[in-house]
Amino acid sequence: MKKTQSLLLISTLIAPMMLGTAGVSAKSAEANPPKETLVRIHAVTDMNATAVDRRDQHDYWGNGGIQDLNKIVEDNSSWEPTVGATYEAFALPTGTVTYEGEDMKPVINDTFHATVDGKEWRWTDILKPVRADKLGAATTNLIKKDGNISPWTIEIAGGMDVRKAVYALTDLDPRTPHPKSFKNTDAQGLTEMSLAKGQWVIAEDLEANIKSTASVPMFIDIPMIKPDAKQGGDDFWYDNTQADALNLYAKQYDPTTLKVKKADKETGKALAGAQVLVTENTHEEQLKKVLPELLAAIKKQPKDAAKLVEQYVPELKTGNYAIRKTDKSGEATFSSDNAGERFMTPGHTYAVIELAAPTGYIVEPQIQDVELSMEKNPADSRAG
């Protein structure tokens, strides 16, 4: 059975939003949205001994209603409540997200910016509009085809360490209240709290919850419309009652690990001191274009490798990469259990690049693709 001391939480909330309501009676439910909504977070963990390939899995369950975990069958997974998880809700400044056009595409305000640990963040670095109706298995929400429900949702980008950036950005506006803390999840993996009308980011409170090592926050825009809501109908909004609360099911998984070994081609001797980059292979084409120049710059300034990587490939400023040095055994270990590598996901493919060679050796400008294994102990990737 998996150990719950090392968990990876990935959550994607599909937020159905109403388009125009012209001609609707003022007495109808949609014309009277609730001022508060009861938000119920259900933390659930995959307890199966074998890792699950998440490429074709949705990371968030349900459409806001209650789900029966006993009836959910997903590959070889076995889902159980997670006890003791803690979350915080960050109120976003007014106007952070607006909606435009007939399909109400979200537009993110990038006016505010904050620097956290030497990196500049804007809301456009964190909040990413995504077509919900094209996510396939990423959601079980019922997206209507009649135009009443917006096909857009917002996902959280920037890796697993955006919580600090969210805190800093919300703190820029003096009108924005401090984050509200949920109680620890109970024996059923449940915690709940009423949230006022507005836009929120819900993130796991890692300082309070040592059982989980990583989390991807969730964006919600309250009040939220039920996916099966009908104009003129009474059962329209998720509200502040237990019967119509907004239920979020956050799935948790074990972390994944990748070991990269540096050795002498002739003797096989382990080499310490090589700098190795691991990032999502979606950035591979851009890396290929700049790799010779990037390696030359790092050779002159090896201590500035991270800064130079972000300079030559700006897309990596969101934190979806990691750089480590090989140790005396010639190994550099990357794990989603560590803060710097929390973007890593089992079953996904990553690019591995040697940025700086040990003393007396030269760097070969090449990119190796590695698909992270579903096994508990993935095979090493060897760099010559």
Side-chain angles (χ1 to χ4, degrees):
M1 182 173 291
K2 293 180 178 179
K3 296 180 179 180
T4 58
Q5 282 76 16
S6 295
L7 301 175
L8 176 63
L9 168 63
I10 305 288
S11 301
T12 298
L13 173 63
I14 303 304
M17 296 167 287
M18 201 64 179
L19 297 181
T21 56
V24 177
S25 170
K27 295 182 180 180
S28 64
E30 59 262 44
N32 296 280
K35 295 181 179 180
E36 290 190 336
T37 299
L38 181 62
V39 177
R40 309 175 84 229
I41 300 175
H42 304 257
V44 291
T45 301
D46 176 12
M47 300 301 294
N48 196 287
T50 305
V52 176
D53 185 342
R54 306 209 316 267
R55 284 174 293 182
D56 296 322
Q57 306 293 349
H58 43 65
D59 297 316
Y60 163 83
W61 273 325
N63 55 12
I66 295 291
Q67 304 294 310
D68 186 351
L69 295 182
N70 295 322
K71 294 182 179 179
I72 293 176
V73 178
E74 191 172 45
D75 286 348
N76 61 346
S77 301
S78 175
W79 298 97
E80 295 182 11
T82 305
V83 181
T86 309
Y87 299 86
E88 286 184 317
F90 296 82
L92 273 57
T94 302
T96 299
V97 181
T98 56
Y99 305 97
E100 297 181 2
E102 293 185 359
D103 63 351
M104 293 194 68
K105 180 179 179 180
V107 177
I108 314 302
N109 185 341
D110 67 351
T111 302
F112 294 104
H113 59 92
T115 301
V116 179
D117 297 333
K119 181 180 297 185
E120 185 177 79
W121 293 86
R122 298 177 186 270
W123 286 116
T124 48
D125 297 320
I126 299 172
L127 305 176
K128 301 294 183 180
V130 179
R131 283 287 297 241
D133 54 353
K134 293 184 179 180
L135 288 178
T139 175
T140 57
N141 265 340
L142 304 176
I143 304 299
K144 288 188 174 182
K145 296 181 179 181
D146 60 7
N148 284 335
I149 300 297
S150 171
W152 292 93
T153 186
I154 293 178
E155 291 185 335
I156 303 293
M160 305 294 181
D161 295 324
V162 301
R163 184 175 171 276
K164 289 183 180 180
V166 170
Y167 195 104
L169 285 168
T170 54
D171 200 41
L172 291 174
D173 191 332
R175 299 168 298 175
T176 305
H178 291 292
K180 301 181 68 175
S181 297
F182 286 82
K183 293 182 179 179
N184 287 26
T185 55
D186 59 20
Q188 286 71 49
L190 173 66
T191 182
E192 62 183 32
M193 178 170 56
S194 294
L195 295 178
K197 178 181 179 181
Q199 296 163 355
W200 298 81
V201 167
I202 297 178
E204 190 173 1
D205 184 355
L206 302 183
E207 284 78 4
N209 179 20
I210 62 173
K211 291 185 178 181
S212 182
T213 58
S215 66
V216 172
M218 298 171 281
F219 170 86
I220 56 176
D221 197 336
I222 293 177
M224 282 182 59
I225 301 166
K226 295 182 178 181
D228 55 354
K230 296 181 180 179
Q231 290 187 339
D234 293 328
D235 192 21
F236 197 81
W237 302 97
Y238 291 113
D239 58 30
N240 205 32
T241 65
Q242 285 287 340
D244 288 316
L246 175 65
N247 291 271
L248 312 179
Y249 287 78
K251 296 161 61 175
Q252 301 188 352
Y253 295 87
D254 273 346
T256 185
T257 300
L258 169 66
K259 288 186 177 180
V260 179
K261 188 168 184 177
K262 179 66 178 177
D264 186 289
K265 283 185 177 181
E266 301 298 329
T267 66
K269 177 184 176 182
L271 299 175
Q275 288 196 65
V276 180
L277 166 74
V278 171
T279 187
E280 299 166 354
N281 73 331
T282 53
H283 305 292
E284 190 164 326
E285 289 303 315
Q286 181 61 25
L287 281 164
K288 286 180 180 178
K289 294 178 182 178
V290 301
L291 191 56
E293 295 178 51
L294 173 61
L295 294 180
I298 292 176
K299 184 177 181 180
K300 295 178 181 179
Q301 299 173 285
K303 293 183 179 180
D304 295 330
K307 181 180 178 180
L308 291 168
V309 165
E310 294 184 6
Q311 176 183 325
Y312 280 85
V313 188
E315 292 83 355
L316 296 183
K317 289 183 178 181
T318 53
N320 49 354
Y321 77 96
I323 299 174
R324 286 189 174 274
K325 283 187 177 182
T326 56
D327 57 22
K328 61 182 179 181
S329 63
E331 292 186 349
T333 301
F334 299 82
S335 173
S336 59
D337 209 19
N338 301 321
E341 294 92 63
R342 288 176 182 167
F343 60 88
M344 293 168 55
T345 303
H348 287 215
T349 301
Y350 293 86
V352 179
I353 305 171
E354 182 182 356
L355 298 178
T359 303
Y361 291 83
I362 61 173
V363 174
E364 295 184 10
Q366 61 178 333
I367 300 176
Q368 299 185 53
D369 284 337
V370 178
E371 182 176 351
L372 297 189
S373 171
M374 294 287 93
E375 302 298 327
K376 294 292 287 185
N377 296 306
D380 289 355
S381 168
R382 296 185 178 274

